[in-house]
Amino acid sequence: MRVLFATSEVAPLIKTGGLADVSAALPAALHSMGVDVRVLLPGYPQVLKALPSPQTAADFPALPGFPPARLLSGALPDGVPLWVVECPELYQRGGGAYQDEHGGDWPDNAQRFGLLSKIAAVLGSTDSPLEWKPDVVHCNDWQTGLAPAYLHFAPGAAPCVMAVHNLAFQGIFPPQTAAELGLPAECFQPDGVEFHGKLSFLKAGLYYADHITTVSPSYAEEIQTDVLGFGMQGLLAHRRKVLNGILNGIDTEDWNPAADPNLVQAYDATDLSGKSANKRELQKRMGLHVDPKVPLFGLVSRFTRQKGLDLVLKITPQLVALPAQLVLLGSGDAGMQRTALGLSHRYSGQVGAYVGFDEGLSHLIEAGADIFLMPSRFEPCGLNQMYSQRYGTPPVVHATGGLIDTVVDCSAASLKRGDATGFVFDSMGASSLLSAARRAVVAYRNKKTWRTLQRNGMARDFSWDKSAAAYRDIYARLMQ
Ligand code: ADP
């Protein structure tokens, strides 16, 4: 079985969020199951730098609507074959994968990700210059959303899967972009790539893909509703027979408290004593009072309303008064960044904030915090709440999407059943978040309950094995 996995980010080469983690771990899991999977990625500078001696696999001097490009072949650090689209005009620049250094979207994003989509489609059709032809093309989010549309009009096209990691990002561009990117005029209509008079990359993927997946069973239901469908609910409900939710796994080697180079002391479920050394280190590193007893809340997140960060910032004075400490790591919304830093000055010694992206610190927070905060308004799957359970750091989460599917609320019944792993609150708001955080602190003070929660979470299997097998089954069905 040959699968082309087209994506705009892969950890550790280039990462802005969970898509990068999934794009590393899922192909690796498929690869180890014997699937011949190849990852296709844009040639950002970070990616080219990580290819020590790339081979040219193909040249694309004249794809209609795009500058000349070249396909380089290499491998990801874990051995999964990698194809990189080299096109200096579109990818060779500073800044981030989607935005410039000031946080503005690159003005040529339609071309940048149109090209990625186009090459995925060429490789998936009989137009491909390569001998290797995929049985299935697996596309991820809007950045590869045009691939199913291009495939639809390509000769001998492989079937394709459109995976939705976050429906909120849709890749919407002016209407003339469709023709500029070489899409046939006939597809620019509501039964096609058009979304309220504009071109939507994601809509194109959802409309033309043979199968749609998303990253948790609950989110698969939620995106068919007016509340979380972001305008795509009608199309998704219409296509529900080919839509299903497969929970993301986590990379259990990267995220393993028993062997994590970012921690100052390793620990596991049989002996959690090493966790306190990490708490001390985290308190020191973030300028907090070193106190083994005070409950320490941790958060690692993009700073956006989606993640409920505004609510965390709002309840910080009450959290501090519990008493508790708080560590925040993330970046995004400029106002939220300022507020987070302001709180760390006002409550110096009790609140620590680091604005930026720091992989090592994110691991230390998972290990050193006592309680993890993840009050997302919506959450397709979410990874941090799984990491935190694996690190013995029970999460406080809002009852939405993948958070519902991965966290079991602590109650007398769930403690008795033996499956309680965290704290789930229903109605989204500062007071519900605060009362869930309070419940967590009460439980934290009861050593026996706390150990039970920690061990239940650490015992859960969040590995990719089951999920990767579910994707393989979908590919097999599409090949029939
Ligand atoms: P999303 O993809 O919506 O941002 P996820 O929880 O699915 O959210 O995945 C986010 C990933 O990015 C996690 O691996 C998380 O640890 C990481 N992450 C987010 N912000 C930061 C940051 N500032 N520093 C380090 N890692 C971060």
Side-chain angles (χ1 to χ4, degrees):
M1 179 186 285
R2 291 177 300 269
V3 176
L4 179 67
F5 191 95
T7 182
S8 56
E9 48 183 286
V10 177
L13 307 186
I14 172 96
K15 169 167 167 174
T16 70
L19 173 60
D21 292 329
V22 175
S23 300
L26 174 56
L30 290 165
H31 185 68
S32 64
M33 291 164 75
V35 177
D36 180 2
V37 56
R38 315 222 170 166
V39 172
L40 180 72
L41 189 65
Y44 313 112
Q46 305 90 315
V47 172
L48 294 178
K49 227 170 74 193
L51 284 183
S53 45
Q55 308 283 313
T56 299
D59 275 303
F60 297 98
L63 289 172
F66 298 103
R70 173 175 292 173
L71 193 67
L72 305 176
S73 74
L76 287 166
D78 54 14
V80 173
L82 172 69
W83 275 327
V84 171
V85 179
E86 188 191 35
C87 178
E89 194 175 325
L90 296 182
Y91 305 129
Q92 189 67 38
R93 55 181 78 161
Y98 316 122
Q99 295 174 331
D100 60 27
E101 42 281 278
H102 310 295
D105 287 345
W106 291 116
D108 54 355
N109 270 346
Q111 267 216 317
R112 299 173 76 236
F113 298 107
L115 178 65
L116 179 66
S117 300
K118 178 71 185 180
I119 289 189
V122 171
L123 299 183
S125 75
T126 44
D127 282 341
S128 174
L130 305 180
E131 261 172 42
W132 187 91
K133 179 161 182 288
D135 298 307
V136 176
V137 179
H138 180 131
C139 307
N140 295 280
D141 276 350
W142 74 265
Q143 294 87 345
T144 49
L146 283 196
Y150 286 127
L151 277 165
H152 182 79
F153 296 100
C160 61
V161 174
M162 183 72 229
V164 180
H165 300 263
N166 193 336
L167 196 69
F169 302 109
Q170 304 190 340
I172 293 181
F173 299 97
Q176 63 275 19
T177 317
E180 287 165 9
L181 299 181
L183 285 164
E186 65 191 274
C187 70
F188 194 75
Q189 52 155 319
D191 281 337
V193 304
E194 181 190 341
F195 186 62
H196 300 294
K198 297 197 167 149
L199 164 67
S200 163
F201 275 46
L202 184 65
K203 160 91 186 287
L206 298 177
Y207 184 81
Y208 286 108
D210 299 285
H211 195 94
I212 301 167
T213 61
T214 187
V215 288
S216 70
S218 290
Y219 194 60
E221 296 299 321
E222 290 171 349
I223 56 177
Q224 297 177 51
T225 68
D226 292 351
V227 183
L228 289 178
F230 288 97
M232 303 287 176
Q233 59 271 28
L235 173 57
L236 288 164
H238 179 69
R239 302 215 66 199
R240 67 182 172 279
K241 287 211 174 75
V242 294
L243 161 67
N244 67 330
I246 301 173
L247 201 60
N248 282 338
I250 62 173
D251 185 325
T252 49
E253 276 177 30
D254 249 16
W255 294 91
N256 177 10
D260 185 332
N262 303 291
L263 310 193
V264 290
Q265 199 172 324
Y267 61 93
D268 61 24
T270 58
D271 179 7
L272 276 146
S273 59
K275 200 163 158 53
S276 50
N278 292 298
K279 180 172 180 177
R280 196 177 330 114
E281 174 68 14
L282 181 60
Q283 287 172 322
K284 278 202 283 197
R285 206 183 298 177
M286 299 303 287
L288 303 180
H289 300 308
V290 174
D291 177 350
K293 291 222 169 66
V294 67
L296 172 51
F297 286 92
L299 174 143
V300 180
S301 176
R302 287 184 287 118
F303 282 8
T304 64
R305 261 178 66 79
Q306 182 206 328
K307 300 288 181 180
L309 188 75
D310 49 323
L311 301 185
V312 174
L313 300 173
K314 196 163 162 195
I315 67 161
T316 297
Q318 286 102 313
L319 281 183
V320 167
L322 283 173
Q325 294 181 339
L326 174 64
V327 162
L328 304 166
L329 164 63
S331 62
D333 180 89
M336 290 180 183
Q337 293 182 173
R338 270 195 305 277
T339 308
L341 292 171
L343 287 165
S344 72
H345 290 125
R346 185 162 346 133
Y347 299 105
S348 149
Q350 285 162 294
V351 176
Y354 180 82
V355 170
F357 199 91
D358 188 330
E359 187 80 28
L361 181 58
S362 75
H363 286 242
L364 184 66
I365 292 175
E366 295 288 6
D370 296 304
I371 305 160
F372 196 83
L373 288 177
M374 195 148 172
S376 308
R377 284 192 166 74
F378 67 93
E379 192 58 77
C381 177
L383 296 169
N384 280 302
Q385 83 283 7
M386 294 193 266
Y387 300 151
S388 79
Q389 289 171 79
R390 188 158 162 78
Y391 279 64
T393 308
V396 172
V397 303
H398 175 220
T400 186
L403 300 177
I404 306 176
D405 296 341
T406 52
V407 182
V408 177
D409 185 48
C410 177
S411 65
S414 61
L415 281 170
K416 196 160 159 219
R417 279 199 311 269
D419 59 3
T421 63
F423 301 86
V424 183
F425 62 94
D426 281 323
S427 67
M428 187 64 188
S431 61
S432 330
L433 168 60
L434 185 58
S435 56
R438 284 208 171 101
R439 281 203 292 133
V441 167
V442 170
Y444 171 76
R445 295 210 177 103
N446 180 328
K447 255 214 160 97
K448 191 160 160 255
T449 304
W450 200 249
R451 279 283 184 263
T452 304
L453 278 177
Q454 289 180 304
R455 295 216 163 95
N456 288 349
M458 294 176 92
R460 289 196 60 167
D461 178 6
F462 290 124
S463 70
W464 267 102
D465 301 350
K466 222 165 69 195
S467 305
Y471 281 102
R472 189 191 48 190
D473 292 347
I474 290 171
Y475 304 150
R477 238 180 298 141
L478 288 175
M479 285 166 63
Q480 276 164 14

